[in-house]
Amino acid sequence: MRVLVVGSGGREHAICWGIAKSNKVKKIYCAPGNAGISEFAENVEIPADNINKLLEFALKEKIDFTIVGPEQPLSLGIVDLFRDNKLLIFGPSKFASQLESSKEFSKLFMERNNIPTASFKSFTSYDEAKAYLNESNLPIVIKADGLASGKGVKVCMEMEEANSFLKEIMLDKIFSKSGEKVVIESFLEGEEASFFVFSDGEKILCLDSSQDHKRLLDDDKGPNTGGMGAYSPAPIIDEETKEKILNEIINPVFEAFKKENFEYTGILYVGLMINNKKPSVVEFNCRFGDPETQPLLFRIESDIFDLFYQTALKQIDQYQLIWKRKTAISVVLASLGYPMNPETGGEIKELESFKNTDDEFVFHAGTKFLDNKVVISGGRVLNITALGHDLEDAINKVYDSINKVELKNFHYRNDIGKKGLVKKTK
Ligand SMILES: Nc1ncnc2c1ncn2[C@@H]1O[C@H](COP(=O)(O)OP(=O)(O)O)[C@@H](O)[C@H]1O
Ligand SMILES: [Mg+2]
């Protein structure tokens, strides 16, 4: 089979690595891909959001199956476009992707279906938003309605900060169209975790739990990022909490999809806040998480291509998902200056110091080839990934590999997974 993967991050590297192992896959293209991906796929110079060019390519190259990594092409309607052209593609429709591309859309869906989430109000008028804000309690969360590459949300501890962010979004229009609407929501206490559900439109398959680390610095300090590291499974989602997630969130969400004739295909990423074992939804995303994909796929024993393929064929029940009973962890090496002003262009000389085996792997994110050298081309650069027999072992392995190498040009967190360890020993 000829497969096209859309995207260029660590998530897409993990997807290409995973599907390349399947004997069903003969050829992989990745648009636009990165330096690491080129080991498994032929990179194609088409940006992930140029959906017309991607269609043209898929038709010309007789692509049998397309897997979409990031949210932009989904929100632009790549799935509808490919399906209209009789091409098999993995992901939700443009309509369904609004669960991610409009925070108001997703909050209204949760509200009318009684899905536990923070209370909220949405605004198109700055004056009304400001008046509401000034009567709200702190902390308060302000969100641009549309896609903003992870920069559109601020958890505000002070009213002054909240007012100035509101002004930046609605008057200075720093997110242009994505900030035409604003959602103001109450603050949820607790610890975040991620839960991924594959849906073929009728039936669902839940993956094991995982946990990302959003903040730049150790101990969850510093600004929000795209994610600095992840591991799976996450002890915060114990059996009791998982039951609640299924009964109070996942099942009601998919029942509501049926009731509303809302066809959802692809991956639903449920961002959770868990407070004393009580889960509520922070947000929905319509695709795999990055970096959670890396440790999740690293733990899958069964055919990773088939997981996507059977889902797209609407026969998810034919797929037998087998997990390695191990813990996987992925630590992000980011370029200096990330997330504000990431330094790019430097050669990555450290690559040869890392191993690529079934237990250890370096997934690339912001890397590219320049004059036969691998150079930094983005904020998050490498994902050092390791598999251990438990979380402690996985943490030791990944940091042993990292600490062996002198990494002067990178910033990374030293405490990925530690939260899970504390929980286990309690
Ligand atoms: N209601 C809330 N209470 C507490 N923290 C929140 C809330 N909403 C968002 N956050 C924090 O802000 C981060 C980003 O918000 P999110 O809704 O996931 O937007 P996005 O991922 O699109 O930037 C979350 O991962 C979480 O840390
Ligand atoms: Mg989020």
Side-chain angles (χ1 to χ4, degrees), residues 103 118 141 143 150 153 155 185-188 192 273 282-283:
K103 299 224 181 266
V141 185
K143 303 186 171 185
V153 171
V155 178
E185 60 178 61
S186 59
F187 176 77
L188 296 168
E192 289 183 85
M273 189 69 83
V282 173
E283 64 158 352

Side-chain angles (χ1 to χ4, degrees), residues 132-146:
Y132 177 79
L133 178 63
N134 288 316
E135 282 171 17
S136 304
N137 296 324
L138 290 168
I140 186 93
V141 185
I142 300 188
K143 303 186 171 185
D145 174 62

Side-chain angles (χ1 to χ4, degrees), residues 107-122:
K107 294 295 282 190
L108 289 172
F109 171 84
M110 287 188 262
E111 185 178 58
R112 67 178 178 269
N113 291 297
N114 295 316
I115 308 298
T117 189
S119 60
F120 78 104
K121 248 178 133 42
S122 56

